[in-house]
Amino acid sequence: MPIRQLSAETINRIAAGEVIERPASVVKELVENAIDADALDIEIVVAGGGLSLIRVADDGSGMSPPDLLLSVERHATSKLSEEDLFDIRSLGFRGEALASVGSIAHLEITSKLRGAAAGYSLSVVRGAKQDMKPAAINGGTAICVRDLFSATPARLKFMKSERAEVMAITDTVRRLAMAHPRIGFMLQTGEKKPLHFAREADSAAGLLSRLGAIMGRAFMDDALEISGLGDGGSGRRPMRVFGYAGLPTLHRPDASLQFLFVNGRPVRDRVLIGAVKAAYGDLIPRGRSPLLALFVDVEPGDVDVNVHPTKAEVRFRDGGAVRALLVGALRQALAAAGHRASALGGTLTIETFEANVLPQTWSGVPRPNFNMPKGFGEAMQAPFDSLDAPSAQMSAGANTATDGDLNFPLGAVRAQVHENYIVAQTRDGLVIVDQHAAHERIVYEKLKTALASGRVATQGLLIPAIISLDADDAQSLIAKADELAELGLVIEGFGDGAVAVRETPALLGDTDIDGLVRDLAAEITREGSARALKDRLEAVASRMACHGSVRSGRRLTVNEMNALLRAMEATPYSGQCNHGRPTYVALKLADIERLFGRR
Ligand code: ADP
Ligand code: MG
């Protein structure tokens, strides 16, 4: 076949194939156009999963008749400056969407330029532009797309169920709504009741309210405000990140409630996803994902948004700087949250009672809101060290806590029950601590600090502990002896299939050496020797912490228990154990009173 120039119609259909993958892509393009037109309210109606009808109406700037005629032409846009292709401040810029949609469906645009006397309407039927006519419209722009893909039946065959398309459309609208809380959204899909997001104030509170409407109450209650400023890579130009991120105790099996935006655009981006993973790292269980909505704003010149047909991916000029900004801001907020655990624990506890006895009118639990007193960390460590000494009997005087003690965030110890749970009284309620989980976190954080500063104190054993393992495990452990020594565990071979332990990390105290060594050996054998132990420091430290922690089943003295609470208050991330479970739950007095019908 000789080469020939493709017709404009064919070119448009090919382009449409890239931009318009499914009905949700049309919704995305039309809603983005409405946002770019400074709309304050956007109304979306779809029927038949968007294949029979998509209608998007806005109260934005509208278009003049000449602009309306141009808007459906390919490569016609009001948003791109040909002087600086990288200065993109709008969601659209390629001038392709309306032309693409017009080539594969029945497109009708009705629009009135703000301040103009009359509105006009223009139709494009599967690539053929019709005559423009005067039309009645109050203001803004309304765009109707009917019989999507009727010009490309092959595409139709790829459509999933109507339900699946409605879900994709809903997801698209939700994401755009998160990034633009100032704008009101209404989505009607024929299914169930319409989705409605009221216009919110242009503030952090407005954003949180919009996020709560989309991500749920639990997120709102457990979300930390994130905010950070950085250098965008070009030296002078600033960038910033803001948004909300859930406490580590709030996690899900998938990343479906992780929303990331760059310059108001929902994106899937490796740099951002990697940064989130790194920041939460050892705070949540493996394979689980935190909930968050983060907005990164960079100078338009510091990000390339033109690397993906639907702009779902971006490329940063300096990905490392963006990553550092994100990890820093997240870590800072998580560390500041300190021992604050998810409110979920207490809420669930109350709900257990509520289900049985409470009247319908009962309402939710206020979340704990601790202001951590500063500077009582180190002084309180001394009695805590005695946790590693042999256990003592519960002493008398557990009820003599002074008022001062009650002012500590985690309060004053009243009792230990079932040899693992510490019950403490706070100013306005009570706290139940899982002593093993809490101690494990504290030891782990100390280990990490020691490792980071390169000074892991060890304690020598008077008599080396000889531990016999299977030959492979002993081998792989001995091969790592140098690295283990840096981590404070000094071992050497002891004949066939055994090792002698000479020193252990002092932090672990009187630890279960046998269990620790077996666990480490099994882990090293399983993971192979490819990665250095220090890279797996988190796993190793976590393992060590687990063996060095007060076991459940151990009686503690009141002093030991109070010391544990004070240490928790002074330790970052102590609201959850290394496995992501909460280390304590808090119940408010008001809620306890409700349980007994006193309120
Ligand atoms: P792009 O958004 O990349 O510019 P589109 O094909 O989506 O390309 O739109 C073409 C042009 O039509 C836009 O640049 C804008 O000027 C105009 N336009 C589209 N939708 C609207 C709308 N809802 N309100 C006002 N103008 C619009
Ligand atoms: Mg557009």
Side-chain angles (χ1 to χ4, degrees):
M1 233 170 37
I3 299 179
R4 62 200 162 103
Q5 185 66 52
L6 296 176
S7 69
E9 217 172 289
T10 308
I11 293 172
N12 278 346
R13 278 181 197 166
I14 291 171
E18 286 212 312
V19 182
I20 312 295
E21 194 194 334
R22 60 196 299 187
S25 332
V26 176
V27 171
K28 173 174 179 288
E29 294 297 336
L30 299 185
V31 172
E32 286 187 351
N33 279 345
I35 294 171
D36 282 345
D38 290 327
L40 287 176
D41 272 299
I42 302 176
E43 209 180 283
I44 306 126
V45 178
V46 306
L51 289 173
S52 37
L53 171 78
I54 295 171
R55 182 176 187 277
V56 175
D58 67 58
D59 58 355
S61 63
M63 283 178 270
S64 67
D67 273 2
L68 182 55
L69 280 171
L70 265 180
S71 69
V72 298
E73 296 295 335
R74 189 129 196 259
H75 308 311
T77 176
S78 58
K79 304 171 190 173
L80 191 66
S81 139
E82 295 196 77
E83 280 72 60
D84 187 355
L85 291 184
F86 283 90
D87 190 30
I88 291 164
R89 293 168 192 275
S90 50
L91 295 171
F93 56 84
R94 294 193 193 120
E96 284 192 316
L98 294 183
S100 295
V101 174
S103 73
I104 55 170
H106 180 149
L107 170 72
E108 184 190 63
I109 309 176
T110 308
S111 189
K112 185 166 105 173
L113 184 66
R114 197 169 280 155
Y120 290 85
S121 155
L122 176 70
S123 293
V124 182
V125 182
R126 291 190 276 282
K129 207 157 144 183
Q130 317 287 302
D131 289 338
M132 187 165 67
K133 288 183 286 210
I137 181 167
N138 280 336
T141 303
I143 301 190
C144 249
V145 178
R146 289 193 182 83
D147 305 327
L148 184 63
F149 299 129
S150 57
T152 49
R155 223 348 119 75
L156 259 185
K157 295 206 188 90
F158 285 95
M159 288 309 109
K160 305 219 172 72
S161 66
E162 180 176 332
R163 251 197 76 81
E165 297 307 331
V166 164
M167 273 171 59
I169 289 169
T170 308
D171 189 57
T172 299
V173 173
R174 281 205 182 115
R175 279 173 202 265
L176 287 167
M178 287 178 145
H180 303 275
R182 275 169 6 100
I183 303 176
F185 290 83
M186 166 83 97
L187 169 65
Q188 224 168 319
T189 59
E191 277 198 354
K192 293 180 276 176
K193 61 177 178 42
L195 199 62
H196 181 232
F197 303 125
R199 283 163 55 178
E200 302 284 355
D202 191 9
S203 64
L207 172 62
L208 184 59
S209 167
R210 171 64 55 89
L211 295 180
I214 294 169
M215 297 173 70
R217 255 307 290 266
F219 177 73
M220 246 179 116
D221 287 346
D222 279 348
L224 304 171
E225 192 174 338
I226 306 297
S227 147
L229 278 176
D231 149 28
S234 47
R236 285 161 294 118
R237 298 193 275 200
M239 60 180 179
R240 74 173 187 140
V241 57
F242 66 99
Y244 287 88
L247 285 169
T249 36
L250 191 70
H251 47 69
R252 301 173 44 86
D254 55 42
S256 62
L257 288 183
Q258 232 172 64
F259 300 95
L260 300 164
F261 303 81
V262 174
N263 292 356
R265 206 185 284 285
V267 294
R268 276 182 276 119
D269 179 74
R270 279 186 312 108
V271 172
L272 303 183
I273 293 170
V276 168
K277 275 222 176 83
Y280 276 85
D282 53 0
L283 298 176
I284 58 172
R286 241 166 241 280
R288 309 278 302 181
S289 298
L291 281 64
L292 48 82
L294 295 179
F295 303 83
V296 177
D297 282 348
V298 300
E299 279 297 313
D302 286 337
V303 61
D304 189 350
V305 291
N306 195 21
V307 292
H308 188 267
T310 63
K311 304 165 195 145
E313 287 164 23
V314 295
R315 195 168 297 144
F316 293 106
R317 179 198 282 239
D318 184 352
V322 176
R323 179 189 161 94
L325 171 68
L326 229 68
V327 173
L330 280 169
R331 272 284 172 178
Q332 196 185 13
L334 290 169
H339 62 280
R340 193 181 133 192
S342 165
L344 210 58
T347 310
L348 292 179
T349 313
I350 291 288
E351 278 167 1
T352 315
F353 291 112
E354 184 197 14
N356 297 332
V357 297
L358 287 172
Q360 297 273 311
T361 52
W362 187 82
S363 68
V365 191
R367 61 172 150 155
N369 187 11
F370 296 135
N371 290 315
M372 195 161 92
K374 288 201 167 58
F376 59 88
E378 282 315 305
M380 290 297 173
Q381 294 291 348
F384 171 62
D385 291 338
S386 71
L387 278 176
D388 300 319
S391 175
Q393 289 295 311
M394 177 96 164
S395 70
N399 286 322
T400 57
T402 63
D403 271 12
D405 297 337
L406 294 181
N407 284 330
F408 285 121
L410 294 177
V413 166
R414 292 301 186 206
Q416 180 191 35
V417 294
H418 293 288
E419 272 81 41
N420 186 45
Y421 299 99
I422 299 171
V423 181
Q425 179 178 342
T426 56
R427 188 55 64 206
D428 61 349
L430 67 85
V431 160
I432 305 171
V433 176
D434 178 334
Q435 72 186 34
H436 174 66
H439 192 205
E440 185 178 302
R441 184 85 215 177
I442 292 166
V443 172
Y444 175 57
E445 291 296 332
K446 281 199 193 173
L447 257 179
K448 278 202 307 185
T449 313
L451 290 173
S453 66
R455 284 189 310 266
V456 181
T458 62
Q459 61 184 19
L461 302 177
L462 282 180
I463 306 161
I466 310 299
I467 294 155
S468 46
L469 302 159
D470 84 39
D472 282 350
D473 281 359
Q475 267 294 303
S476 46
L477 205 57
I478 291 160
K480 294 276 180 188
D482 287 352
E483 285 180 70
L484 285 169
E486 271 184 65
L487 301 172
L489 188 71
V490 178
I491 59 161
E492 56 196 42
F494 195 80
D496 247 7
V499 297
V501 181
R502 301 200 165 274
E503 290 173 38
T504 57
L507 266 174
L508 299 188
D510 196 4
T511 181
D512 163 22
I513 299 172
D514 194 76
L516 169 62
V517 169
R518 280 177 203 290
D519 262 20
L520 281 177
E523 171 149 338
I524 291 168
T525 310
R526 192 175 58 240
E527 297 256 320
S529 54
R531 279 165 69 207
L533 264 185
K534 267 206 278 190
D535 292 346
R536 279 190 279 131
L537 195 133
E538 283 172 7
V540 174
S542 173
R543 195 60 24 112
M544 288 184 171
C546 187
H547 285 280
S549 306
V550 267
R551 297 274 142 185
S552 43
R554 161 112 181 255
R555 287 262 184 90
L556 299 177
T557 65
V558 172
N559 281 345
E560 286 173 333
M561 290 191 279
N562 275 319
L564 182 63
L565 299 191
R566 302 294 82 85
M568 284 174 74
E569 287 156 355
T571 302
Y573 317 117
S574 64
Q576 54 275 318
C577 74
N578 305 343
H579 315 291
R581 294 189 300 268
T583 53
Y584 74 91
V585 295
L587 298 178
K588 293 279 176 230
L589 188 57
D591 294 315
I592 297 170
E593 285 172 348
R594 274 196 200 99
L595 289 176
F596 290 98
R598 283 168 168 271
R599 276 184 183 230

